[in-house]
Amino acid sequence: MRPFRAGVLALPQELSALRRAVRAHVDAPCHDLQLCVSELVGNVIVHVGEGTPVTLAITRTADGRTRVEVSDPDPRLWPVLRRATDEDEGGRGLAVLDAVAARWGVRPGPYSGKTVWAELPPP
């Protein structure tokens, strides 16, 4: 797979276009990959703010995993996996990511901000 990189504004109305762009780039069904993109960018929308500039990068690791990275400019708000109750309206995004991805994490950005990443098992 060729690397994919896109700079976008984190807006709810952009999520479907971003999923379609990823699908077109991969040129094959990639439901888990699209789900990870939606969850990671969606977390920026909810927790950092609508309209935040983000960078989406998708690459293949040496061991064949697909790595998805979403970088945003806020160094403070690191995602934390939590267990949502039946009554909670939200809070399941990282649980979904955790269930789909082989592994995921957060690292500080090179200059500021942070990058949240997830790796999917080899196809």
Side-chain angles (χ1 to χ4, degrees):
M1 176 180 66
R2 299 178 334 264
F4 176 88
R5 188 172 184 86
V8 298
L9 295 179
L11 295 165
Q13 61 269 29
E14 296 297 325
L15 288 175
S16 62
L18 198 52
R19 286 190 302 269
R20 282 192 306 275
V22 167
R23 167 70 170 82
H25 179 78
V26 173
D27 196 28
C30 56
H31 304 293
D32 288 349
L33 177 57
Q34 290 173 304
L35 178 63
C36 288
V37 168
S38 287
E39 291 301 331
L40 292 174
V41 176
N43 274 349
V44 174
I45 293 168
V46 171
H47 299 290
V48 181
E50 283 191 32
T52 299
V54 298
T55 301
L56 168 66
I58 301 171
T59 57
R60 182 84 68 203
T61 66
D63 62 357
R65 294 179 185 199
T66 301
R67 185 175 177 100
V68 183
E69 297 181 336
V70 173
S71 301
D72 71 65
D74 191 328
R76 301 166 294 136
L77 300 171
W78 285 41
V80 176
L81 180 62
R82 67 182 186 105
R83 302 287 178 221
T85 67
D86 290 342
E87 291 79 34
D88 289 335
E89 290 292 321
R92 292 172 182 80
L94 286 179
V96 169
L97 184 74
D98 191 59
V100 171
R103 61 189 198 142
W104 68 274
V106 187
R107 64 179 166 75
Y111 306 107
S112 67
K114 66 185 168 298
T115 298
V116 183
W117 57 269
E119 290 181 354
L120 297 169

